[in-house]
């Protein structure tokens, strides 16, 4: 990251998608699913400090064939889903987000994930609506290949963020 700009301390590619989540036969809840790079996320986000249970490391652990991909969810969402670490949840992509023609009778795409951690940030919107997955798992889920929406950065001086962004854009 340092060769990009001396003020950039760390970078982390991500995808953020509005989806739905459910557990068992429960109701669907709207969520924002953020796919992050398990190797780089710590450099930019201090998610570790907000973990109540489980670990950010779970997102990057190798999986056995057939093992469900991990997700980390907010405390209020866990409460709403009645989900604890180890439980299975289903993430559903609404048809609009997946770009299907509304005339098609195809079911929305969904995938089961295993709750690997629960965080509490103190921001109600995050704790109630945010889920983290590994970037690759979210790329697989949305089926758009090896693409990201953006790159988050940690910078030395936050008051210079817009200046740094402009420099990087050039």
């Amino acid at each position: 990251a340092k060769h990009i700009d001396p003020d950039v301390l760390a970078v982390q590619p991500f995808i953020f998608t509005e989806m739905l989540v459910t557990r068992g036969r429960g109701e669907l809840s709207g969520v924002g699913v953020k796919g992050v790079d398990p190797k780089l996320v710590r450099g930019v986000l201090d998610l570790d400090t907000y973990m109540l249970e489980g670990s950010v490391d779970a997102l990057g652990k190798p999986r056995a064939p057939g093992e469900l991909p991990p997700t980390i969810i907010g405390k209020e969402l866990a409460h709403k889903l009645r989900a604890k670490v180890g439980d299975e949840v289903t993430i559903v992509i609404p048809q609009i987000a997946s770009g299907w023609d509304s005339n098609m009778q195809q079911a929305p795409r969904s995938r089961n994930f295993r709750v690997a951690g629960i965080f509490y940030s103190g921001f109600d919107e995050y704790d109630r609506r945010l889920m983290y997955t590994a970037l690759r798992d979210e790329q697989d889920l949305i089926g758009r290949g090896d693409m990201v929406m953006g790159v988050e950065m940690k910078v030395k001086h936050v008051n210079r963020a817009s200046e740094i962004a402009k420099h990087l854009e050039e």
Side-chain angles (χ1 to χ4, degrees), residues 4 9-10 26 29 55 59-60 66 91 102 121 130 136 140 148 161 167:
I4 299 169
L9 302 174
S29 299
S55 164
L59 295 180
I91 295 177
S102 57
S121 70
L130 190 57
R136 173 100 3 111
D140 289 349
V148 299
H167 171 245

Side-chain angles (χ1 to χ4, degrees), residues 25-154:
R25 299 198 182 279
E27 63 181 83
L28 288 165
S29 299
V31 289
V33 181
K34 186 168 187 176
V36 296
D37 184 320
K39 291 188 183 81
L40 300 176
V41 68
R42 277 195 170 96
V44 178
L45 302 177
D46 53 354
L47 191 52
D48 284 306
T49 58
Y50 301 112
M51 295 300 295
L52 294 177
E53 290 180 67
S55 164
V56 179
D57 293 330
L59 295 180
K61 281 198 179 127
R63 292 195 301 270
E67 195 180 334
L68 294 178
T71 183
I72 294 171
I73 67 177
K75 178 185 174 183
E76 298 307 322
L77 180 59
H79 179 73
K80 186 176 183 180
L81 295 171
R82 295 185 178 92
K84 55 192 184 308
V85 170
D87 285 347
E88 204 171 303
V89 295
T90 304
I91 295 177
V92 180
I93 304 180
Q95 290 188 343
I96 300 146
S98 59
W100 280 316
D101 185 326
S102 57
N103 298 327
M104 290 174 69
Q105 295 302 305
Q106 191 164 4
R109 191 179 310 160
S110 68
R111 188 166 185 196
N112 292 344
F113 282 73
R114 176 93 44 218
V115 176
I118 295 172
F119 71 87
Y120 178 67
S121 70
F123 291 109
D124 187 58
E125 186 72 5
Y126 288 179
D127 298 331
R128 204 167 20 95
R129 293 195 72 243
L130 190 57
M131 300 179 71
Y132 288 95
T133 63
L135 186 61
R136 173 100 3 111
D137 292 329
E138 190 161 347
Q139 287 171 333
D140 289 349
L141 179 61
I142 62 177
R144 299 239 174 97
D146 188 15
M147 288 175 58
V148 299
M149 286 177 95
V151 177
E152 292 177 299
M153 297 175 201
K154 186 173 195 172

